[in-house]
Amino acid sequence: MAHGSRQNPAAPDAQPEQDAGTTVELVRLRGVSKSYSRGKQRVEVLHHIDLDIPEGDFVALMGPSGSGKTTLLNLIAGLDSPTHGSVSIAGQRIDHLSSGALARWRATHVGFVFQFYNLLPMLSAQKNVELPLLLTRLSAAQRRRHANIALQLVGLAGRASHRPGELSGGQQQRVAIARALVSDPMLLVCDEPTGDLDRQSAEEVLRLLQRLNREYGKTLILVTHDPKAAEHALRTRHLDKGTLVEQG
Amino acid sequence: MFVKYLPLLWAGLMRRKTRTVLTLLSVVAAFTLFGMLDAVRIAFNAPNSVAGINRLIVTSRFSIIQPLPFAYTSRIQAITGVRNLAYAIWFGGVYQDRKNFFPNMAVSVHEYLTIHPELVLPAAQQQAFRHTRTGAIVGKTLVERFGWKIGDKIPLEATIFPKKDGGNIWTFDLVGIFHADRPELQGIERQMLFHYDYVDEGRMQDQGTVGWYIVQVDDPADSDRVALAIDRLFANSAHETKTQSEKDFQRSFVKQIGNIGLIVSIIMGAVFFTLVLLTGNTMMQAIRERIPELAVLKTIGFPNRIVLLLVLSEAIVIMLCGGLGGLMLAHTLLPVMATATSGQLNLPLTLSTWLLGVALMILIGLLIGLPPALRTLRLNVVDALRG
Ligand SMILES: Nc1ncnc2c1ncn2[C@@H]1O[C@H](COP(=O)(O)OP(=O)(O)OP(=O)(O)O)[C@@H](O)[C@H]1O
Ligand SMILES: [Mg+2]
């Protein structure tokens, strides 16, 4: 794992290693379409999307249900491949990678935060946070240290040994954020991370994301339905029926 | 290398403790049964085929319970290649109760001891046996079973040979205790042997006949020729013979009981078939429930092969834990069974049963782990996350 030894987010340094040449874009989509075939029917969910997100940006992605937000996020995060067009992250094309290569790429480049936290219920918070590090060459002691630093960063150092079931929704989501951070990826993708939280917990999570962007220079993409949540981002892009709405 | 994934494996197993425990118990039960039945199968199916023992058994061609004339002795001895000749009859005596079954035979003592060197007893006891008409020697296991000691008078009730005087009880003097010279032959330590002459003279019928002859040949490589010569000698006589190696003889003896190996295999087949269906279904269900978690692992970047390995090892771990537990239980139950049956079913769990068992555990583990494992391979992360 080339990035296994990258610095921990606790030490702010998130320069991408690849030299992106003159472009400063971290995410660069050109002419991206995505179709799903349902039986014989083909449905195009995303139409010819061009999107640039510079490094260190914090973009909120809004749009009605079914407009393709999750689909777009998955393409950027290397979970899915586009039907047409190119997806480059930090200067590297990922749209043609095999699923195995994509898995390796995700392990080192992207952190994921989901609406329903998706923690493993039988593992302690710390073990959950350690999960991505299992794929690195770090020793058990190093993994534990990195996980603890990440938990500290999200304000849950005292809960390391708790299982998800013993934590509130907001706390679980912060554990999930720690897990997304622990391998020090350049990009964090969050799909409605506050969708299942009460106002106050949501606010805490959003502040945390904001801090990760401001203090640690992480590039964030936040899918949300909630305009208040979107206000925490630096910019907001709107998606409608598979097309990015031009900004006014 | 794989060690760091153990917490994940553990988490999978502990997710539903009750279900895991129930599955484990069914595996334990199946392999306890397997261990005990396989011990039976081995005991019956592989009569002591021990190197260095090369004897021929001559019986009546038609049935091993049909006697042969004593007069064959000199004629067999005259065949070239025959070094020593002993004879025996199956006495079938009962000690106190029919349930106390053990093999007891009347033998031509001098020759029998000569050609059965695996029968070990102190020289003084051997002498006493040779010279006491009513003397008997008894294997160590049998002596321990009934708490006999040298000097005891042992009454056996006749089931085949009533006495001339109309009595039914034969009394023998215990003059020696023998043991086998190697562990594989421990089975003979349940036998009781006494004098042919004593029985033959005292019995009401069949006098002057023997149950079977035991031939020691000069050259083991020559056995086939000698066997053929014996059978040819008595061809077309009133008592035709069938001469075979001791090993084949024991095997045909056991065949009278039935094909135990086949019966055991059929029972085990049914048990394992049920086990595979049961645990296979449980595994499938367990993995189905964890699809979202497995999807998260794949999202984070866990390669397919690790996820596959996790699922497979979960199945194999259940099989190994339950299976080894079951064999261990069989290992403790078999001696209990031996005691309960007064040593009649003294079947040890052999290494071959352990090895076969472990192979079966891994095989069944793969069999039930593979379908859910392949399912996780096909798992589309994007769809799974969508829920
Ligand atoms: N695997 C698939 N097969 C067929 N259609 C799909 C598939 N995945 C998504 N779609 C369709 O693509 C469209 C966009 O879905 P997507 O989940 O990206 O929307 P979304 O903006 O994230 O919606 P929401 O706000 O409800 O999460 C929807 O109409 C959906 O039905
Ligand atoms: Mg969505």
Side-chain angles (χ1 to χ4, degrees):
Chain A
M1 304 287 146
H3 297 261
S5 55
R6 282 182 59 159
Q7 273 177 285
N8 195 275
D13 169 35
Q15 293 300 314
E17 293 189 352
Q18 280 96 341
D19 182 5
T22 50
T23 55
V24 283
E25 312 300 349
L26 180 68
V27 177
R28 186 184 176 96
L29 271 60
R30 287 294 175 270
V32 166
S33 321
K34 178 71 186 175
S35 311
Y36 288 111
S37 35
R38 218 182 259 131
K40 280 198 171 160
Q41 237 178 331
R42 266 181 92 74
V43 188
E44 193 171 88
V45 178
L46 293 176
H47 320 289
H48 204 87
I49 304 253
D50 294 332
L51 175 65
D52 291 313
I53 300 175
E55 176 162 14
D57 205 352
F58 184 175
V59 182
L61 194 57
M62 296 191 70
S65 189
S67 56
K69 305 181 294 293
T70 298
T71 307
L72 182 59
L73 201 66
N74 287 343
L75 291 178
I76 295 170
L79 271 177
D80 209 351
S81 297
T83 315
H84 295 292
S86 66
V87 180
S88 313
I89 310 293
Q92 186 189 359
R93 287 278 298 263
I94 63 163
D95 47 276
H96 284 328
L97 293 181
S98 71
S99 72
L102 265 182
R104 277 194 296 280
W105 180 85
R106 286 197 302 274
T108 50
H109 290 76
V110 194
F112 291 86
V113 182
F114 311 95
Q115 179 176 355
F116 298 110
Y117 336 128
N118 284 339
L119 299 172
L120 269 51
M122 297 304 298
L123 297 182
S124 67
Q126 185 205 299
K127 286 278 177 216
N128 263 291
V129 174
E130 271 186 39
L131 278 179
L133 300 180
L134 292 181
L135 301 169
T136 67
R137 291 218 183 88
L138 296 181
S139 70
Q142 286 171 311
R143 291 200 300 271
R144 202 172 319 126
R145 215 183 63 232
H146 285 214
N148 283 333
I149 294 172
L151 278 171
Q152 227 160 14
L153 193 76
V154 301
L156 287 175
R159 302 295 183 126
S161 61
H162 290 228
R163 287 200 184 160
E166 301 158 354
L167 299 172
S168 74
Q171 288 170 330
Q172 288 188 56
Q173 193 59 296
R174 276 145 64 197
V175 172
I177 293 172
R179 179 179 68 189
L181 281 174
V182 76
S183 54
D184 195 20
M186 54 181 92
L187 181 63
L188 287 185
V189 298
C190 316
D191 198 348
E192 309 202 30
T194 58
D196 209 41
L197 296 179
D198 60 73
R199 269 261 64 98
Q200 201 197 326
S201 307
E203 188 60 28
E204 279 171 19
V205 164
L206 289 164
R207 291 248 180 75
L208 176 58
L209 293 178
Q210 212 167 31
R211 224 178 105 220
L212 292 175
N213 174 249
R214 286 188 190 154
E215 294 177 24
Y216 301 106
K218 297 286 170 201
T219 308
L220 274 84
I221 307 176
L222 168 72
V223 166
T224 181
H225 274 116
D226 178 6
K228 280 222 169 67
E231 280 169 17
H232 292 77
L234 295 174
R235 304 190 279 141
T236 302
R237 300 296 309 261
H238 289 271
L239 203 57
D240 191 22
K241 295 191 188 109
T243 314
L244 269 180
V245 179
E246 283 309 312
Q247 286 158 301
Chain B
M1 182 54 212
F2 196 66
V3 172
K4 61 183 174 185
Y5 298 109
L6 284 183
L8 274 177
L9 186 63
W10 184 245
L13 288 169
M14 287 297 106
R15 176 109 197 241
R16 305 241 172 181
K17 289 194 192 68
T18 320
R19 182 170 59 198
T20 303
V21 167
L22 286 178
T23 311
L24 265 178
L25 282 182
S26 63
V27 180
V28 167
F31 275 91
T32 307
L33 194 61
F34 163 79
M36 297 176 72
L37 283 180
D38 200 52
V40 171
R41 182 185 64 84
I42 287 172
F44 278 92
N45 241 26
N48 314 315
S49 56
V50 177
I53 292 186
N54 224 308
R55 293 182 290 246
L56 298 175
I57 305 287
V58 186
T59 60
S60 161
R61 187 177 149 196
F62 303 105
S63 161
I64 52 178
I65 57 169
Q66 185 133 2
L68 291 170
F70 174 75
Y72 280 9
T73 314
S74 52
R75 297 178 65 190
I76 295 176
Q77 243 153 4
I79 293 173
T80 46
V82 173
R83 180 184 295 176
N84 279 303
L85 181 67
Y87 43 87
I89 53 178
W90 182 262
F91 184 71
V94 168
Y95 177 68
Q96 290 175 343
D97 189 321
R98 267 180 192 276
K99 277 192 304 204
N100 291 340
F101 169 86
F102 56 86
N104 50 83
M105 292 171 280
V107 301
S108 56
V109 169
H110 297 279
E111 299 82 0
Y112 195 90
L113 289 178
T114 310
I115 64 180
H116 291 81
E118 70 267 28
L119 256 160
V120 182
L121 72 167
Q125 294 180 15
Q126 207 178 108
Q127 278 312 104
F129 184 38
R130 286 179 199 269
H131 297 116
T132 313
R133 250 173 76 80
T134 56
I137 56 171
V138 174
K140 204 172 95 221
T141 315
L142 195 58
V143 165
E144 283 161 11
R145 180 171 155 200
F146 294 119
W148 293 336
K149 55 189 186 308
I150 288 183
D152 280 359
K153 287 203 178 298
I154 298 163
L156 293 188
E157 187 189 337
T159 57
I160 309 174
F161 302 117
K163 292 171 95 169
K164 258 198 292 217
D165 59 17
N168 230 6
I169 302 296
W170 297 72
T171 307
F172 300 94
D173 293 303
L174 209 176
V175 295
I177 296 166
F178 66 86
H179 61 90
D181 68 344
R182 61 203 101 165
E184 320 77 285
L185 290 177
Q186 260 171 18
I188 65 170
E189 292 174 4
R190 298 188 347 223
Q191 297 177 349
M192 175 171 172
L193 305 173
F194 32 82
H195 282 263
Y196 170 85
D197 294 340
Y198 175 50
V199 170
D200 192 53
E201 278 161 32
R203 63 180 165 171
M204 197 188 283
Q205 84 255 355
D206 285 347
Q207 271 171 330
T209 63
V210 306
W212 64 91
Y213 289 97
I214 307 140
V215 177
Q216 186 184 40
V217 292
D218 282 326
D219 176 10
D222 202 23
S223 299
D224 287 347
R225 186 195 57 78
V226 174
L228 210 64
I230 295 171
D231 289 346
R232 214 173 264 152
L233 187 59
F234 303 114
N236 300 319
S237 74
H239 299 279
E240 296 196 14
T241 59
K242 175 171 170 186
T243 304
Q244 53 192 335
S245 70
E246 188 164 296
K247 206 168 83 186
D248 290 339
F249 173 70
Q250 284 172 346
R251 198 170 280 148
S252 61
F253 199 85
V254 166
K255 274 213 187 100
Q256 292 192 313
I257 307 173
N259 193 338
I260 300 281
L262 184 66
I263 295 168
V264 167
S265 302
I266 289 172
I267 297 175
M268 283 328 298
V271 169
F272 282 131
F273 181 73
T274 315
L275 186 71
V276 166
L277 283 191
L278 212 81
T279 51
N281 189 45
T282 310
M283 271 306 290
M284 203 65 181
Q285 197 182 330
I287 298 302
R288 205 178 297 134
E289 279 170 16
R290 293 217 304 276
I291 289 285
E293 291 167 38
L294 294 169
V296 168
L297 291 183
K298 287 177 84 162
T299 302
I300 289 175
F302 275 61
N304 269 333
R305 100 192 105 82
I306 299 282
V307 180
L308 184 98
L309 225 55
L310 274 173
V311 175
L312 268 186
S313 27
E314 201 172 309
I316 292 175
V317 162
I318 286 191
M319 279 300 146
L320 282 178
C321 289
L324 290 176
L327 286 185
M328 238 129 44
L329 195 60
H331 180 74
T332 41
L333 282 182
L334 283 170
V336 173
M337 202 165 82
T339 317
T341 61
S342 321
Q344 274 184 62
L345 278 174
N346 186 11
L347 311 166
L349 209 56
T350 58
L351 181 66
S352 82
T353 301
W354 284 96
L355 292 180
L356 181 64
V358 170
L360 274 169
M361 291 165 210
I362 294 174
L363 188 77
I364 296 178
L366 285 174
L367 211 62
I368 65 171
L370 217 49
L374 290 177
R375 194 193 152 117
T376 62
L377 272 196
R378 288 194 307 268
L379 177 67
N380 182 323
V381 181
V382 174
D383 292 340
L385 286 177
R386 223 177 272 275

